Structure formats: C-alpha cells, structure tokens
Amino acid sequence: MILLPCASIEHLAQSSRNRLVLVACILGSSIVFVDGSVVNVALPAIQEDLGGGLALQQWVVDAYLLTLGSLLLVGGSLGDLFGARRIFVIGIVMFGAVSVLCALAPDGTTLILARALQGVAGALLTPAGLAVIAHTFSGEERGAAIGSWTAWTGIAFVIGPLIGGWLITHGSWRWVFVINVPITIVTVALVLYAVPGLERGNVRAHVDVVGGVLCVLGLGGPVFALIEEPSRGWSDPLIIVTFVGGIVLLVLFVLWERRYRHPMLPLRLFSKRNFTFANVETLTVYAALSTLTFFLVLFLQQLAGYSPLQSGLVLVPITIVMFLLSPRVGRLSMRYGPRWFMGIGPLVTAGALVPLTRLDPSFDYATDLLPWLLLLSVGLSMIVAPLTSTVLRDAGERDAGIASGVNNATARVAGLLGIAVVGAAIAGSEDKLDLPGFHTSMWITSALVATGGVIGLAGIRNPR
C-alpha cells in the first residue's frame, strides 16, 4: 500500500474541488446563453398558444435581452461589492424560480415580465460566475479554466436549440423553461459544496444604480415604440412619448456616466481607437446575427413547415464551424493583426446572406440553404475571436475585465435593437411574418453585417 504525503492528498482534494467549481460556473452560465437562443425555436408554439402575433414573439426575446444587456455591468459591480459567490448563488436561484414563472405564464404579458426578470438574474450570475473562476484559479490554470468555460458554453449553445426543439415536438414550449430548474438546483448544490464560503466583498466597490436604471429605461423606450408602432402607428401619443423619452434618458445616461465617479460604463475607454471601432462593429454584427436566427427560425416553422426540432438542427452547422475555426482564426489574427479579419469576415457573411433574400418556402436544404450557412459560418468565424481580442488588447490589462463586460453588454444590446428595428421595418397589417417580410429582413441583416465590415476596414488599426 502506497501512502501519499498529506500535501499531495490536499492538492488532489483541492484539484477535485476546483473542477467542481468550474462545472458549476459552466452550468450556471450555460442556461443564460441557451435561454437567449433556445426560445427562438419555441416562438411559433408560444404565439400559437398565447396569441399576440409578431409583437409578442419580439417581446419574448427582447424583454430578456433588455435587462440582461443593460444590467450586466451592474451585476459585475454587485459581485465586487457583496462577493461573487453570494451573487452567483442568488442569480442562479432567481433564474430557476423565474423559469417556473415563465413555464406557468397564462398569457403573453406575464411571460414577457417573467422573461425580463430572467434577464436580471442572468445579469447577476454571468459576471459573478467568471469572477468565481478568477478567484478559484490562478496563472495558467486560470487561462485554461476560462478557455473551458468558453468552449462548453459554446457547446451548450449548439445543444440547447436541439433539446428545446425535441421538448416542443414531444411536449410543450413550457418545458423549455422547466428544464432550467434541475440545472439550477445542481448548480447551487455544487457552489455551496465546492466554493469556499468565507469570501468577502470589496467594501470600496460601488454600484451605479442610477446608471443602470437610466440604461434600462433609455433602451426600453425606443424598443417599446418600435415593437408596438406597427399596431398603434407613429401618431399614437404613447409611441411618441416612449420613443422620445427613451432617447432623452439615454442622453442623460451618457451625461451621468461622464460625471459619476464610479460609472458602470467608463467612457474613458472610448478614447481608444480600436476599442471604440470594435464595439461599434460588435453592435452591427451581433444585431445582424440576432435578426438572422430570429427571422430564419420563424421562416422555417411558419412558412416552410419545419418542426421545432428540424429548425434547431438547421442552425447547428453555424455553431460547429465557428467552434472549430474561431480558435485558429484567433491565433492568426494575433500573428497578422485583426484588421483584415474584422473587415473581410463581415463582407463574406453579408455575401452569404444575399441568396437568403430569394429563399422560397419549398427550398431544398442541401442545395439552397446549407452551402450559404457554411459560408456564413466561415465569415462569422473570421470576426468573433479577433473582435474580442482587439477589445481586450486596446483596453490594456488593467481594464481587461470591464472592457470584456462592455463588449458583452454591447453584443446583448445589439441583439435587442436589431430585432426591434427589423421587426418594425417588416411588420405588416396582420402582425406576422410573411415571405416578403422575411426577404426584407435578410436584406437588412446583410446590410448590417456589411456595415460592420466597412467599419472594421476603415477604423481598426493593426497593433505595431
């Protein structure tokens, strides 16, 4: 019998505990990312059950993105103030509880409100989960842990719509939310067991409550106006007040962030050229990515007759190609500079979207859609890794955390605005997606991502 030294036993025990911490953080973050995409597959079933037309479908997605994107930076501040472990647990428990409300929603209004609360929970747990990883690991182990977190959340993004499609096909859209409950229970148990409970918050941390409220209301006003305008008209006082009022609040948000000593959005970062242009490109590219998945899934189910599971399978090639190519492109962009990748990638994506503007409901998947999805995936793979690394590099090591948070929040807000704007542009009198509306949405999506390419070529500079 071989006896291990006490130090070795302690090291093994700590290593096993750290692996459990990583599993917990991956599980917690995965449900946030999955719920941002899997619901697209459920939208036709939700609309058929609760009514509401295209406006309801937009709100079910945008209510979640509104609070998630607006409050991500506030959630990170709360983790700094009260401790990442505590905020992570609160966020997970809240996400599971609100998922039950989503599943039990008797009408569209209740579901929309519950989705907004889901976004709040996601804004708490996502930055806190990454902070838990940062506190638990150090050195090369930290880099490997964050890499594993990124990879597995990407895999969850692929699997989520497939599981959701299967649940809807064999059960109900409500099971898409119910399945979150056992995941949250397991995650909380792992965190309480594996993460030390003596963590202290930073008493010097500050939470920009005013900034968070101004951001949510400022974004919510125009989004409300854009989604509700097709049914109410621009002459409706409610539309005018919410649109103009939201713009005014966004201006006040910027003014507040400039004057407040501890802003959630440090505007000084935007004095850096690559940081600014990379985030503007993020806004256009991620808006396009959100409108693509939103309107393509509606087209597949409502016009082409695909089942929820089939429509989920259609999106799999995009994520698989990106998962395989993005790390390689990331290394190449570090070697040769990000400018050409961030410029040519969106233009390739935009070109791949043009054939979708002529897609007919009787299309053949193997010849009419799959080749363009694969080309689109290659274009997107050229963008994602260089874009993120450019944001972090230009911000510098001291501001890497907040820069990553700003870019993540920008991506979520981009999806929110993209769906609202394109939905307003194509909404007809019957408040549902038709074939001309789908074709128009693909033209706008192509134009959005092409604009991102022009921004990349004109604005990004390769580091010397």
Side-chain angles (χ1 to χ4, degrees):
M1 181 177 180
I2 300 176
L3 295 178
L4 292 174
C6 292
S8 298
I9 295 175
E10 290 178 3
H11 176 75
L12 288 173
Q14 186 61 46
S15 178
S16 298
R17 189 179 292 267
N18 287 353
R19 282 195 291 270
L20 291 178
V21 172
L22 182 58
V23 170
C25 293
I26 289 172
L27 285 175
S29 301
S30 293
I31 60 174
V32 176
F33 292 116
V34 167
D35 267 55
S37 63
V38 68
V39 171
N40 288 338
V41 179
L43 290 176
I46 292 173
Q47 190 271 331
E48 184 178 347
D49 187 17
L50 303 181
L54 181 62
L56 171 71
Q57 294 170 324
Q58 289 176 267
W59 272 120
V60 169
V61 175
D62 276 356
Y64 179 77
L65 293 177
L66 173 63
T67 51
L68 176 62
S70 302
L71 298 176
L72 266 174
L73 299 178
V74 174
S77 300
L78 287 170
D80 292 338
L81 182 61
F82 297 107
R85 178 184 186 267
R86 182 179 293 109
I87 295 300
F88 188 60
V89 170
I90 291 173
I92 286 289
V93 171
M94 180 179 175
F95 202 99
V98 176
S99 293
V100 174
L101 293 180
C102 291
L104 298 176
D107 51 54
T109 301
T110 304
L111 179 59
I112 291 166
L113 292 174
R115 285 284 286 167
L117 290 175
Q118 260 193 330
V120 174
L124 292 177
L125 71 90
T126 301
L130 279 171
V132 167
I133 292 176
H135 292 325
T136 303
F137 299 89
S138 60
E140 292 184 2
E141 288 186 348
R142 179 183 295 173
I146 293 175
S148 297
W149 179 88
T150 303
W152 281 103
T153 51
I155 292 172
F157 188 84
V158 180
I159 297 175
L162 297 181
I163 295 175
W166 187 88
L167 290 171
I168 297 163
T169 301
H170 296 87
S172 166
W173 62 266
R174 299 179 187 274
W175 285 99
V176 170
F177 299 107
V178 172
I179 199 171
N180 290 334
V181 176
I183 297 175
T184 57
I185 292 173
V186 171
T187 303
V188 170
L190 286 174
V191 172
L192 294 179
Y193 170 74
V195 181
L198 299 178
E199 178 195 31
R200 294 181 179 179
N202 181 2
V203 294
R204 296 183 179 179
H206 296 269
V207 181
D208 186 4
V209 176
V210 174
V213 172
L214 288 174
C215 189
V216 171
L217 297 179
L219 288 170
V223 167
F224 176 89
L226 289 169
I227 292 178
E228 297 297 326
E229 183 276 330
S231 61
R232 294 174 179 267
W234 283 110
S235 59
D236 190 304
L238 182 61
I239 299 299
I240 297 173
V241 169
T242 53
F243 187 84
V244 175
I247 299 298
V248 171
L249 289 174
L250 285 177
V251 172
L252 292 176
F253 168 71
V254 174
L255 294 175
W256 172 263
E257 296 300 286
R258 288 183 62 185
R259 297 177 64 87
Y260 187 53
R261 289 185 59 189
H262 307 283
M264 62 178 260
L265 180 63
L267 297 177
R268 60 182 170 77
L269 290 176
F270 289 93
S271 64
K272 302 175 182 294
R273 181 188 180 97
N274 276 3
F275 180 87
T276 299
F277 278 98
N279 275 290
V280 174
E281 183 169 351
T282 297
L283 197 67
T284 60
V285 169
Y286 277 83
L289 186 58
S290 294
T291 57
L292 169 66
T293 54
F294 182 88
F295 291 104
L296 181 59
V297 167
L298 291 185
F299 165 80
L300 291 172
Q301 293 192 41
Q302 295 184 334
L303 298 178
Y306 274 46
S307 69
L309 179 58
Q310 289 172 324
S311 63
L313 285 168
V314 165
L315 301 176
V316 169
I318 297 177
T319 311
I320 291 178
V321 172
M322 291 180 65
F323 186 76
L324 294 174
L325 293 185
S326 291
R328 294 168 173 82
V329 172
R331 286 193 292 270
L332 289 173
S333 70
M334 294 295 288
R335 183 181 306 169
Y336 300 108
R339 180 171 180 249
W340 292 107
F341 293 96
M342 293 174 63
I344 295 175
L347 298 179
V348 171
T349 303
L353 285 166
V354 171
L356 273 61
T357 64
R358 301 188 297 271
L359 202 63
D360 188 84
S362 59
F363 72 94
D364 180 81
Y365 175 71
T367 59
D368 297 333
L369 184 56
L370 180 59
W372 305 115
L373 290 181
L374 294 175
L375 180 61
L376 179 147
S377 307
V378 172
L380 289 175
S381 299
M382 296 174 67
I383 308 167
V384 176
L387 194 155
T388 303
S389 62
T390 299
V391 167
L392 297 181
R393 174 184 286 181
D394 209 37
E397 185 175 345
R398 183 173 67 90
D399 291 319
I402 188 64
S404 176
V406 170
N407 190 245
N408 195 0
T410 300
R412 305 289 82 76
V413 170
L416 162 75
L417 296 176
I419 292 172
V421 171
V422 177
I426 70 168
S429 57
E430 297 182 8
D431 195 27
K432 65 179 181 181
L433 183 68
D434 54 19
L435 189 57
F438 171 71
H439 289 163
T440 301
S441 72
M442 292 299 100
W443 276 118
I444 299 175
T445 300
S446 179
L448 280 170
V449 74
T451 301
V454 173
I455 291 169
L457 289 173
I460 299 299
R461 295 287 183 265
N462 287 332
R464 294 181 180 180

